[in-house]
Amino acid sequence: MASLHIFLPLSFGSIRFNRRQSVRCSNARQALFNRIAPNYDTLNDILSLGQHRIWKRMCVSWSGAKNGDNVLDLCCGSGDIAFLLSDKVCIDGKVTGLDFSAEQLLVAASRQQLRTKACYENIEWIEGDALELPFSDNYFDAVTMGYGLRNVVDRHRAMQEIFRVLKPGARVSVLDFNKSTEFLTTFFQEWMISNVVVPAASVYGIADEYEYLKRSIKEFLTGKELEKLALDARFSQAIHYEIGGGLMGNLVATR
């Protein structure tokens, strides 16, 4: 397990983000996301034909985030969903993007600098642990999590932490690959990873880093299992939507 005991703000030129606590995760998984960070956005666009932007907008919409809200994008990566949240909460709101990958956060902070909308100044980037969030109880009006729950080492603990930091009645919206129970969907998903995703990643020299996808999806939860996970973490309601032709899924849970 990786452990980063650094509590000082980090500065790369004028780019800043904060490390607030230890991070508990697989050393290999954390290193993987650091390695793919420079090409992450380009590959997302190529491999999904831009569809990932639609799915992320759906995720944000399901979160219920609105003008003036204080919201969290968990496992924020290079910041796509955090920027969409900022558009929703506007200049009167606040967005926190948290991730365990310093390289991904550096990309996110660099992208923030290149954007001119006033609301994007309300985004703070934090390197931290999804299993031990550095926030008080009942703190956020909404939480999003894009392609992160599949990668944490303790999904139940992650959902408990999300429940803790959400305000009563608030929602979490969790976007990820869908572990389908339909044979044809599963077959096509695996075919795409082997014959499209990995070859495309090999152009950037990171084919091995994307080989993990099939395994991680097989080890993930079905929609019904995700709903049960949320209810077991004390959420009052939970519903999982299959999107993208069943290749993706979005869990929406209400505290």
Side-chain angles (χ1 to χ4, degrees), residues 15-64:
I15 300 171
R16 299 175 64 85
F17 61 90
N18 293 317
R19 281 177 172 162
R20 289 202 174 173
Q21 63 183 108
S22 303
V23 180
R24 291 178 298 158
C25 63
S26 161
N27 280 314
R29 190 61 54 84
Q30 189 175 34
L32 183 154
F33 279 94
N34 281 330
R35 287 195 301 274
I36 68 175
N39 306 114
Y40 187 70
D41 294 320
T42 301
L43 278 170
N44 280 343
D45 280 328
I46 293 172
L47 298 175
S48 72
L49 301 178
Q51 293 296 297
H52 74 101
R53 300 188 182 278
I54 297 173
W55 304 328
K56 288 169 181 174
R57 289 185 182 279
M58 295 172 72
C59 176
V60 168
S61 180
W62 272 315
S63 76

Side-chain angles (χ1 to χ4, degrees), residues 42 46 54 72 86 91 134 141 147 149 175 183 190 200 212 241 249:
T42 301
I46 293 172
I54 297 173
L72 170 66
S86 185
I91 59 174
D141 297 294
Y147 302 99
L149 188 61
L175 170 67
F183 171 78
E190 292 183 354
Y212 90 98
Y241 299 96

Side-chain angles (χ1 to χ4, degrees), residues 3-251:
S3 182
L4 299 174
H5 297 279
I6 302 175
F7 300 88
L8 298 175
L10 299 184
S11 177
F12 298 84
S14 58
I15 300 171
R16 299 175 64 85
F17 61 90
N18 293 317
R19 281 177 172 162
R20 289 202 174 173
Q21 63 183 108
S22 303
V23 180
R24 291 178 298 158
C25 63
S26 161
N27 280 314
R29 190 61 54 84
Q30 189 175 34
L32 183 154
F33 279 94
N34 281 330
R35 287 195 301 274
I36 68 175
N39 306 114
Y40 187 70
D41 294 320
T42 301
L43 278 170
N44 280 343
D45 280 328
I46 293 172
L47 298 175
S48 72
L49 301 178
Q51 293 296 297
H52 74 101
R53 300 188 182 278
I54 297 173
W55 304 328
K56 288 169 181 174
R57 289 185 182 279
M58 295 172 72
C59 176
V60 168
S61 180
W62 272 315
S63 76
K66 61 187 183 302
N67 191 353
D69 278 354
N70 177 30
V71 299
L72 170 66
D73 182 26
L74 191 55
C75 303
C76 66
S78 59
D80 274 358
I81 293 177
F83 290 119
L84 293 174
L85 284 170
S86 185
D87 288 331
K88 286 284 188 181
V89 304
C90 305
I91 59 174
D92 295 324
K94 171 71 185 298
V95 179
T96 301
L98 183 143
D99 201 278
F100 70 170
S101 168
E103 295 299 325
Q104 292 276 10
L105 291 171
L106 182 55
V107 172
S110 299
R111 295 175 69 195
Q112 183 182 21
Q113 281 202 319
L114 298 175
R115 301 188 177 206
T116 57
K117 289 182 69 172
C119 63
Y120 294 151
E121 295 179 9
N122 69 6
I123 306 175
E124 178 185 12
W125 310 106
I126 296 175
E127 183 179 1
D129 189 354
L131 305 184
E132 194 172 344
L133 297 176
F135 312 108
S136 58
D137 296 355
N138 310 319
Y139 189 70
F140 291 107
D141 297 294
V143 174
T144 55
M145 191 178 197
Y147 302 99
L149 188 61
R150 179 171 39 88
N151 293 309
V152 299
V153 295
D154 187 337
R155 295 174 190 133
H156 181 68
R157 175 63 184 271
M159 291 301 294
Q160 286 181 318
E161 278 292 275
I162 294 169
F163 180 91
R164 180 183 66 79
V165 302
L166 272 174
K167 295 177 181 178
R171 297 202 295 265
V172 60
S173 181
V174 181
L175 170 67
D176 215 311
F177 284 92
N178 179 45
K179 182 179 179 179
S180 178
T181 57
E182 299 292 329
F183 171 78
L184 287 178
T185 302
T186 301
F187 175 82
F188 180 67
Q189 192 177 57
E190 292 183 354
W191 184 91
M192 283 288 293
I193 293 170
S194 297
N195 295 279
V196 179
V197 174
V198 173
S202 68
V203 174
Y204 296 90
I206 49 176
D208 290 344
E209 283 79 357
Y210 276 82
E211 284 280 4
Y212 90 98
L213 268 175
K214 276 198 293 188
R215 184 178 71 255
S216 71
I217 294 170
K218 285 181 179 179
E219 295 172 353
F220 198 37
L221 305 177
T222 65
K224 290 297 183 184
E225 290 169 337
L226 285 168
E227 290 174 355
K228 183 177 185 302
L229 178 73
L231 295 174
D232 288 346
R234 297 193 295 155
F235 284 88
S236 62
Q237 297 177 0
I239 183 167
H240 183 266
Y241 299 96
E242 291 191 355
I243 59 178
L247 299 178
M248 304 293 152
N250 202 105
L251 173 70

